[in-house]
Amino acid sequence: MGRAQCIVHRENRLLMVKHRLDGREYWCLPGGGVGEGETPVEAALRELKEECCVDGAVVRKTNEVMYSPQDVTHSFLVDIGDQEPRKGTDPELPPAGQVLVEVKWVTLSELPERDRAFLWAAGLLGIEEFHEQVRGWGESISYPGAERL
């Protein structure tokens, strides 16, 4: 069925959730699996409510990425007004098995390169504030681990 996720921002900060899985931590957009009989929009807003305890309204779709025919990720720009997010839970997981460890407003500079890469696939450059920010980064080349190549 695929996944659905929300891009929520305030100025140059993104609402991100930190997951811990198999001993690793990573930042991602609020989102999750699209359930049977559920549209990607419904799934994105449900996941936002579960993970961040806020209600949202979809402004527009930002991207759709097909990793395989069975694995499609739908990304949406979502407005939450002035609500303040807080860490929620995944109702499909038992209390001891929760993977969500933090909910936070973050800037791009606070994210590891690996986690930031998935934001580009989500359509972050289609949001003016982030497009302008990236345009100002200059022309120097950087690639994590390049010194080992």
Side-chain angles (χ1 to χ4, degrees), residues 40-77:
V41 166
E42 291 167 338
L45 296 177
R46 175 184 49 75
E47 290 285 347
L48 179 65
K49 179 74 167 181
E50 291 172 359
E51 294 183 351
C52 302
C53 302
V54 293
D55 294 306
V58 170
V59 176
R60 64 181 164 82
K61 190 167 199 171
T62 57
N63 208 5
E64 181 177 306
V65 177
M66 181 181 288
Y67 295 101
S68 75
Q70 297 77 32
D71 186 8
V72 179
T73 297
H74 307 267
S75 302
F76 301 94
L77 177 60

Side-chain angles (χ1 to χ4, degrees), residues 3 5-6 14-20 25-32 51-52 99-100 102-104 106 111-112 114-116 118-119:
R3 294 183 39 81
Q5 59 189 7
C6 301
L14 291 164
L15 180 59
M16 300 289 287
V17 296
K18 183 188 277 186
H19 287 191
R20 182 178 298 131
E25 291 185 346
Y26 55 96
W27 288 99
C28 58
L29 295 169
E51 294 183 351
C52 302
V99 298
L100 181 63
E102 188 176 357
V103 171
K104 183 178 175 183
V106 298
L111 295 171
R114 172 205 62 214
D115 299 343
R116 201 176 319 139
F118 289 97
L119 297 174

